[in-house]
Amino acid sequence: QVQLVESGGGLVQPGGSLRLSCSISGNTPEYYAVGWFRQAPGTKRVGVSCASTADQSTYYDDSVKGRFTISRNEGGNTVYLEMNNLKPEDSGVYYCAAPKELWRICRLFPEWYYYWGQGTPVTVSS
């Protein structure tokens, strides 16, 4: 059982940057793969990026490649999403999530995940 709490969202101008944090608590948080998802009003939740624990691989949606970077702290209990050159279409509520099992290669579809945070809103607007 793990709990996830996101932070770092806010209002930023186009071209700006934000760093989101996902704090993971519970048993062995460092062993859980983590995904970041975005949900804009009236739309489905979509995968943005994820970090595996089975092989340390990371994945990005094509829309954010080259602009977003996912990373993990040394203790493994915080996962960051560094977002650069932000665009208005990046706006939405960002959620982090973890699967039920340990040591997994992550996926970018929300149905694969079991534990979810409450979300942090990101608005990119001038």
Side-chain angles (χ1 to χ4, degrees), residues 23-96:
S23 178
I24 312 163
S25 60
N27 291 329
T28 59
E30 67 273 23
Y31 296 155
Y32 286 88
V34 171
W36 281 100
F37 296 83
R38 176 180 67 239
Q39 188 167 22
T43 69
K44 293 182 179 179
R45 197 169 294 187
V46 297
V48 174
S49 180
C50 69
S52 305
T53 43
D55 63 359
Q56 305 302 309
S57 57
T58 57
Y59 298 92
Y60 298 90
D61 183 76
D62 286 345
S63 66
V64 306
K65 282 181 181 175
R67 300 190 297 122
F68 290 14
T69 303
I70 192 169
S71 62
R72 202 163 195 143
N73 70 337
E74 190 171 333
N77 61 347
T78 304
V79 176
Y80 303 101
L81 185 67
E82 184 76 34
M83 307 188 295
N84 298 314
N85 190 20
L86 282 160
K87 304 175 181 180
E89 52 264 42
D90 295 320
S91 298
V93 178
Y94 281 72
Y95 299 88
C96 63

